[in-house]
Amino acid sequence: MAIKHVVMFSGGIGSWATAKIVARRETTENLYLVFSDVKGFTDNPHIGEDEDTYRFVEEAAANIGGKLVILRDGRDIWQVFKDRNFLGNSRLAHCSFELKQKPARKWLEENCNPEETVVYVGIDWTETHRLPAIVKNYKPWVAKAPLTEPPYIDKEQWIELANKEGLKTPRLYDLGFSHNNCGGGCVRAGQGQFKKLYEIMPERFKVWEEKEQEVREHIGKDVSILTEMVKGEKRPLPLSELRRRIEDQPAVIDEYDIGGCGCFFEEDERKNES
């Protein structure tokens, strides 16, 4: 019985490293690299994945071997928020469920027998606490995370190893971003992450600001991606207000508040399907 090895291929260094390990341990003959694209049908370069992600995904797949599978729902994150009447945030990100998890799950159901398939995700040893939920949510498929096992290698070391193999890593890493998701933005990101986006890619920040406002008006509520605590009360912090603070009072922004992002790793949101 030939076992299929399916790597959830996000376009980041962690998924490349995971796939490299699987390719070395197993075989590339039945290795599948599943990339779920969140760009939708828009031609706006500031919506969805960073344009360099597509270059990296293709070159990384060639470097690893195996079969690259590209999935597209057809919507971008902003359309998902309008469809759901809910603006994604650190608490709940329907975008990752609708555009990443759901298409990947559908592909697994249509192409992979759970008894003959192992699924791999790119969390590393610093995120081991996520593994039990991941294993549970991928059932009936077996899910593994090779980067949580010894030897414990960090992201910077994997980037160095990729470069040594002649693989140019995603440009967002070189620009100082901690991940390569959604073009440097993310509804799970923090104030510091969006400050970096504003400073390095102001045009992209402007699109995020405008799209957030569109969704706010569509929903008809004072909601936002970010929140803040004011006198013990959590309040919305729209990107338009964050931009004003960055411009007028940059010192008040916590640059270490980058938030967290993990589209394939979060709690199963199937219960939230409408």
Side-chain angles (χ1 to χ4, degrees):
M1 180 176 66
I3 299 296
K4 287 185 176 180
H5 301 279
V6 179
V7 178
M8 292 304 161
F9 209 55
S10 69
I13 194 65
S15 59
W16 171 79
T18 298
K20 287 291 284 188
I21 291 173
V22 175
R24 289 169 181 167
R25 289 180 180 175
E26 309 296 341
T27 174
T28 59
E29 183 177 352
N30 292 303
L31 175 63
Y32 296 83
L33 311 176
V34 178
F35 172 65
S36 296
D37 186 7
V38 302
K39 192 172 185 62
F41 295 132
T42 179
D43 58 0
N44 189 325
H46 301 304
I47 292 179
E49 308 287 359
D50 182 70
E51 51 266 45
D52 189 53
T53 297
Y54 302 102
R55 186 273 313 164
F56 176 73
V57 166
E58 294 286 349
E59 293 182 4
N63 170 267
I64 295 162
K67 304 172 183 66
L68 176 61
V69 177
I70 299 178
L71 307 176
R72 293 186 179 93
D73 172 277
R75 296 172 293 172
D76 58 50
I77 67 171
W78 307 107
Q79 187 59 52
V80 168
F81 299 151
K82 289 179 180 178
D83 291 346
R84 286 285 193 153
N85 227 38
F86 186 97
L87 179 59
N89 54 48
S90 62
R91 182 178 65 83
L92 189 58
H94 282 311
C95 48
S96 65
F97 175 62
E98 292 286 349
L99 304 183
K100 290 280 189 179
Q101 298 170 18
K102 204 170 173 180
R105 185 87 181 193
K106 184 174 184 291
W107 185 86
L108 282 172
E109 290 171 349
E110 294 177 349
N111 296 277
C112 301
N113 182 340
E115 296 180 359
E116 302 173 358
T117 305
V118 180
V119 178
Y120 303 86
V121 296
I123 65 169
D124 66 19
W125 55 275
T126 66
E127 305 167 290
T128 306
H129 61 282
R130 288 176 161 179
L131 193 53
I134 292 170
V135 171
K136 177 182 177 182
N137 293 333
Y138 268 106
K139 289 182 177 178
W141 289 270
V142 172
K144 297 183 178 182
L147 299 186
T148 64
E149 306 165 1
Y152 302 121
I153 301 176
D154 62 29
K155 181 182 293 184
E156 288 70 26
Q157 289 174 301
W158 281 116
I159 289 175
E160 290 179 7
L161 289 170
N163 290 336
K164 286 181 180 178
E165 293 199 13
L167 178 61
K168 187 178 185 305
T169 45
R171 68 168 186 157
L172 290 185
Y173 293 137
D174 295 333
L175 293 172
F177 290 93
S178 62
H179 62 72
N180 189 44
N181 300 308
C182 271
C186 179
V187 296
R188 296 187 188 277
Q191 294 184 30
Q193 181 78 14
F194 277 106
K195 181 175 183 287
K196 183 182 292 293
L197 185 66
Y198 174 81
E199 292 172 341
I200 297 177
M201 297 178 171
E203 291 184 2
R204 185 161 298 176
F205 182 96
K206 183 173 183 290
V207 171
W208 275 78
E209 179 183 333
E210 292 172 347
K211 288 295 182 179
E212 181 191 54
Q213 185 58 33
E214 281 184 20
V215 177
R216 282 162 55 85
E217 293 173 1
H218 175 83
I219 296 173
K221 294 181 180 179
D222 183 18
V223 294
S224 61
I225 294 170
L226 299 173
T227 58
E228 62 177 344
M229 296 298 294
V230 179
K231 296 181 179 179
E233 180 183 351
K234 183 179 287 188
R235 297 182 183 178
L237 178 60
L239 292 175
S240 57
E241 173 59 26
L242 181 72
R243 173 178 52 77
R244 285 189 283 271
R245 295 182 188 181
I246 294 171
E247 292 171 347
D248 299 335
Q249 298 175 291
V252 304
I253 308 298
D254 181 1
E255 297 191 7
Y256 294 99
D257 176 22
I258 62 172
C261 185
C263 289
F264 283 117
F265 319 140
E266 304 305 329
E267 183 179 356
D268 192 336
E269 295 180 20
R270 277 174 287 178
K271 60 181 179 294
N272 295 311
E273 285 191 79
S274 57

